[in-house]
Amino acid sequence: MAHVVHPTDAERQLLKKRGAGISHCPNSNFSLRGGIAKVRQMLAEGQKIGLGTDVAGGYGTSILNTIRTGYFGAIARSLDHPDDKYLKLAEVFYLATVGGADVLGMKNTLGNFVVGKQFDALIVDPLACNSPIDLFQHDDVKTIFEKFINNGDDCNII
């Protein structure tokens, strides 16, 4: 299922019961003014949910941009719904990787670096020529990851 921005409780229960996967497409949801999906709630309910780019309603296919939009959409939702804690950047990255594989029914073969799964990855160089990322000596792996997600672009992908 794509989007699932305004499902009723009964509809969400039915989706879970049937094992349906949900493709959360924040760029499309914002572009079409459809709203902000209750991703935190759906995750808490155990829904299969991944991140989608849906260029038919959105403005691009960049998963990096979609991660950013999903992250800031979750923050925006939490402003009006304080009980709906926003997603951490690592959680949105999970939706783009393991969550997406799960929605496609491929969680056992794709989505992370577990031994035995297919290798599907990008090699990222945060120090690439013309990189928009500023690194400092005190930056650790987590900080570098966050800087890439928030500021990186295709020049960082080798």
Side-chain angles (χ1 to χ4, degrees):
M1 301 293 295
H3 309 288
V4 190
V5 178
H6 303 288
T8 65
D9 291 343
E11 289 168 336
R12 285 193 322 276
Q13 289 172 10
L14 183 59
L15 288 171
K16 184 175 178 186
K17 178 181 176 183
R18 298 283 167 87
I22 298 166
S23 182
H24 172 48
C25 304
N27 288 340
S28 178
N29 296 342
F30 288 165
S31 296
L32 298 173
R33 299 180 61 218
I36 303 173
K38 300 174 184 178
V39 178
R40 168 67 68 208
Q41 179 182 7
M42 290 188 279
L43 285 171
E45 293 171 349
Q47 298 282 358
K48 284 196 301 187
I49 183 165
L51 208 54
T53 57
D54 188 14
V55 73
Y59 53 85
T61 58
S62 168
I63 195 66
L64 189 56
N65 185 280
T66 302
I67 291 169
R68 293 176 188 146
T69 305
Y71 176 63
F72 289 110
I75 290 172
R77 179 169 175 75
S78 73
L79 297 174
D80 289 335
H81 304 87
D83 294 337
D84 194 358
K85 293 185 172 49
Y86 72 91
L87 300 170
K88 304 290 188 247
L89 198 53
E91 292 174 300
V92 183
F93 185 75
Y94 175 89
L95 294 177
T97 54
V98 178
D102 193 20
V103 167
L104 294 172
M106 301 179 78
K107 188 176 182 178
N108 293 328
T109 58
L110 291 174
N112 56 25
F113 298 131
V114 171
V115 174
K117 289 189 177 185
Q118 295 177 20
F119 185 76
D120 180 20
L122 300 173
I123 298 173
V124 175
D125 181 0
L127 297 173
C129 184
N130 298 317
S131 174
I133 301 171
D134 291 324
L135 293 182
F136 302 98
Q137 192 170 13
H138 63 269
D139 288 339
D140 59 11
V141 171
K142 181 179 183 255
T143 303
I144 295 169
F145 167 76
E146 290 172 347
K147 285 183 175 187
F148 169 68
I149 296 295
N150 284 308
N151 300 312
D153 62 24
D154 58 348
C155 78
N156 296 110
I157 300 170
I158 299 176

